[in-house]
Amino acid sequence: MDKIKILCITGWCRNGSTIIGNVLNEVPGFFHVGELHFLWKNGTGRGVNNLCGCGTALTECPVWSPILPLGKPDGVSLSDFAATVIRRQRACVRTRHTWRVLGRGLDGEDIRAHADLMTRTYHAAAERTGARVIVDTTKIPGEAALLPYLEGVTPYFVHLVRDPRAVAHSWRQPKQYVYAMSSWMSTLYWHGFNLASHAITRRFPRQSLFLRHEDFTADPEATIDTLLRLCGADPAANPIRDRTVELHTNHTVTGNPDRFRTGTTVIRDRDDAWKGTLSLPAKLAAVTLSTPLLHRYGYRYGGTLAGGPRQKESHGSRT
């Protein structure tokens, strides 16, 4: 197999990975797959959203419809095959499995089968789109930890973090096919997903990057430059100019509903709406449950950025 690069974004949901992935999708040779982990679940009606970013059902999309049945045994329905894939995912590559995957690799029949399927899926996506770099914003650290074991793949990891209060603010109301979540529940997930993501970037520091969502919004053009350099691409291909990017139709499996937006898009320069709308109990829950990571990642209790890690300084270092 020809080598392909996978730029894997990890961290907890609502961290801004969808817009970053869609911006990178505009770079020649890059293809944003969205949250690939959910291809089989959503493609067979088990998930909350069965649409590709192009607006068609995954089973009818010209990119994903021929990829969905890859590895399916003869005589087995796509629905039954998807059920097997989902069972393997739950058994082997959930967030709680991150440390086991990092330590034991392909130790077991199920995880070897899942690694083989993911290898075939990534390469098929690259072949169908002509991509040299696949951007996967699944954000499930167990899946990310599996990447170094895939044949013909060179992984790069971005640990993307957003202020847990801003994340809680984003979760407070349902959004199309995305349900709502309380501040305390969101922050518990935030804490666990970020700990697991840290374990991955600590294991592979030379091909990893720590990034705060707030640093992206402060200077999106410089951030995309850094991400392109991380995976050996020319920053001259950066599609952002003066905070503005022209987005075209994408083929994301799932993600934030904003993935369907196309056209001229201006990236806002602030991410502090939570200060005026998030209730005091919700703020207290987010701060309490995110400690001590809140301070480690450079967030102040009052809501401003402190020193802490910055994306320009973290290339090749630990998060």
Side-chain angles (χ1 to χ4, degrees):
M1 297 181 182
D2 293 334
K3 277 273 189 181
I4 59 172
K5 297 177 180 180
I6 298 178
L7 184 62
C8 177
I9 299 182
T10 64
W12 175 229
C13 301
R14 308 294 180 93
N15 63 357
S17 64
T18 296
I19 181 60
I20 291 176
N22 279 353
V23 169
L24 290 170
N25 194 63
E26 300 299 324
V27 178
F30 280 64
F31 176 53
H32 180 207
V33 298
E35 300 179 8
L36 189 60
H37 173 89
F38 299 99
L39 175 62
W40 298 271
K41 185 176 184 178
N42 288 357
T44 54
R46 291 173 167 85
V48 295
N49 168 48
N50 72 334
L51 294 181
C52 173
C54 68
T56 63
L58 291 166
T59 51
E60 300 173 2
C61 171
V63 172
W64 297 115
S65 58
I67 293 178
L68 265 167
L70 281 177
K72 181 178 72 66
D74 292 338
V76 175
S77 70
L78 181 59
S79 180
D80 287 345
F81 173 61
T84 299
V85 175
I86 294 166
R87 180 190 62 78
R88 288 172 179 160
Q89 290 173 327
R90 291 173 175 169
C92 302
V93 291
R94 298 179 71 176
T95 300
R96 69 186 65 170
H97 301 132
T98 302
W99 292 267
R100 186 174 71 185
V101 176
L102 289 173
R104 295 166 55 182
L106 305 183
D107 182 18
E109 182 179 349
D110 278 349
I111 197 167
R112 285 193 294 270
H114 187 59
D116 178 69
L117 175 62
M118 296 307 294
T119 298
R120 298 176 67 172
T121 301
Y122 281 120
H123 281 276
E127 182 177 352
R128 293 197 65 80
T129 62
R132 301 184 302 276
V133 181
I134 300 290
V135 182
D136 189 343
T137 52
T138 291
K139 295 180 291 298
I140 296 178
E143 289 276 17
L146 188 64
L147 291 177
Y149 300 100
L150 304 189
E151 182 182 356
V153 162
T154 301
Y156 297 89
F157 304 100
V158 179
H159 180 187
L160 181 61
V161 174
R162 186 182 182 188
D163 190 311
R165 292 159 292 191
V167 174
H169 171 267
S170 180
W171 276 107
R172 77 192 191 286
Q173 292 181 340
K175 186 177 183 180
Q176 291 185 19
Y177 52 81
V178 181
Y179 53 85
M181 185 182 296
S182 67
S183 178
W184 68 268
M185 180 63 74
S186 166
T187 309
L188 284 175
Y189 278 117
W190 182 94
H191 197 277
F193 273 62
N194 283 312
L195 281 177
S197 297
H198 172 73
I200 296 169
T201 56
R202 182 175 59 184
R203 176 67 63 86
F204 304 103
R206 294 184 179 277
Q207 58 209 74
S208 298
L209 175 73
F210 177 88
L211 173 63
R212 291 185 299 204
H213 174 69
E214 294 79 7
D215 293 327
F216 168 67
T217 58
D219 195 343
E221 188 172 349
T223 299
I224 296 300
D225 277 355
T226 301
L227 295 177
L228 293 175
R229 290 190 181 97
L230 173 66
C231 38
D234 187 355
N238 190 335
I240 297 180
R241 294 292 182 271
D242 298 324
R243 310 189 65 83
T244 302
V245 61
E246 191 73 20
L247 297 179
H248 299 84
T249 301
N250 61 73
H251 289 282
T252 49
V253 169
T254 191
N256 189 298
D258 290 346
R259 67 194 175 102
F260 295 112
R261 293 183 180 178
T262 58
T264 303
T265 301
V266 178
I267 299 170
R268 62 187 182 185
D269 62 352
R270 300 178 68 87
D271 186 34
D272 58 359
W274 61 269
K275 293 182 180 180
T277 57
L278 194 64
S279 68
L280 180 58
K283 290 176 184 177
L284 290 174
V287 167
T288 302
L289 295 172
S290 63
T291 302
L293 296 185
L294 186 78
H295 178 72
R296 177 189 295 179
Y297 297 148
Y299 297 110
R300 295 185 185 275
Y301 294 116
T304 58
L305 293 176
R310 298 295 183 94
Q311 53 97 359
K312 293 181 180 179
E313 301 169 355
S314 300
H315 184 185
S317 64
R318 296 182 179 182
T319 60

